[in-house]
C-alpha cells in the first residue's frame, strides 16, 4: 500500500489529475493507494478518489488541534473531516495518527 499525505483540497486536485490519466492505461485500484489527512476535502474530490480506487486515511487533527483549526477554518471546521460523506460515496476510510499534538496532554 502506498500513502500520500495531503493537507489541503487544492493539493488533492493537482495530484488526482495525473492519476486520472495514468488510470486509463494502468488501473490504480489494485495498487492500494491512499491519501492521508485531507481534512477539508470536497464531495467531488472524494468521488474522484472512489472512481480511482484510492482510499483515505483520516487523522485525529480535530481532536488534538481543533481550537487551532477552528481559528483557521471558521465555520468550515464543523464538517472537517467529512467522514460520513466519504463513507456514503463509498471511499474506503481508515483512521490513525502519525504525529503528536505538540502539547503535553
Amino acid at each position: 500500500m502506498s500513502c500520500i499525505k495531503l493537507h489541503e483540497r487544492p493539493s488533492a486536485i493537482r495530484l488526482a489529475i495525473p492519476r486520472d490519466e495514468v488510470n486509463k492505461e494502468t488501473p490504480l485500484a489494485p495498487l492500494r493507494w491512499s491519501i492521508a489527512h485531507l481534512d477539508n476535502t470536497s464531495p467531488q474530490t472524494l468521488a474522484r478518489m472512489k472512481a480511482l480506487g484510492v482510499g483515505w486515511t483520516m487523522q485525529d487533527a480535530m481532536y488534538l488541534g481543533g481550537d487551532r483549526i477552528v481559528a483557521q477554518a471558521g465555520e468550515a471546521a464543523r464538517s472537517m473531516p467529512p467522514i460520513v460523506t466519504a463513507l456514503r460515496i463509498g471511499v474506503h476510510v481508515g483512521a490513525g495518527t502519525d504525529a503528536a499534538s505538540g502539547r503535553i496532554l
Side-chain angles (χ1 to χ4, degrees):
M1 174 186 266
S2 296
C3 181
I4 300 168
K5 293 183 181 185
L6 300 172
H7 292 276
E8 302 292 331
R9 182 181 0 206
S11 300
I13 293 168
R14 285 192 298 274
L15 180 68
I17 292 169
R19 301 265 185 284
D20 291 336
E21 296 301 316
V22 170
N23 193 56
K24 290 177 185 175
E25 293 186 33
T26 305
L28 296 177
L31 301 177
R32 300 180 61 191
W33 281 86
S34 67
I35 294 177
H37 304 288
L38 202 55
D39 294 327
N40 67 343
T41 193
S42 68
Q44 296 81 8
T45 298
L46 291 168
R48 288 178 79 185
M49 290 168 60
K50 166 67 175 163
L52 291 171
V54 173
W56 176 39
T57 57
M58 54 77 56
Q59 305 295 315
D60 54 6
M62 289 302 291
Y63 180 78
L64 296 174
D67 293 339
R68 178 184 50 81
I69 293 169
V70 168
Q72 291 173 344
E75 192 63 26
R78 289 184 170 278
S79 63
M80 292 170 60
I83 300 166
V84 173
T85 302
L87 293 172
R88 286 182 180 152
I89 289 172
V91 174
H92 292 283
V93 178
T97 186
D98 59 1
S101 69
R103 296 186 286 174
I104 297 173
L105 302 177

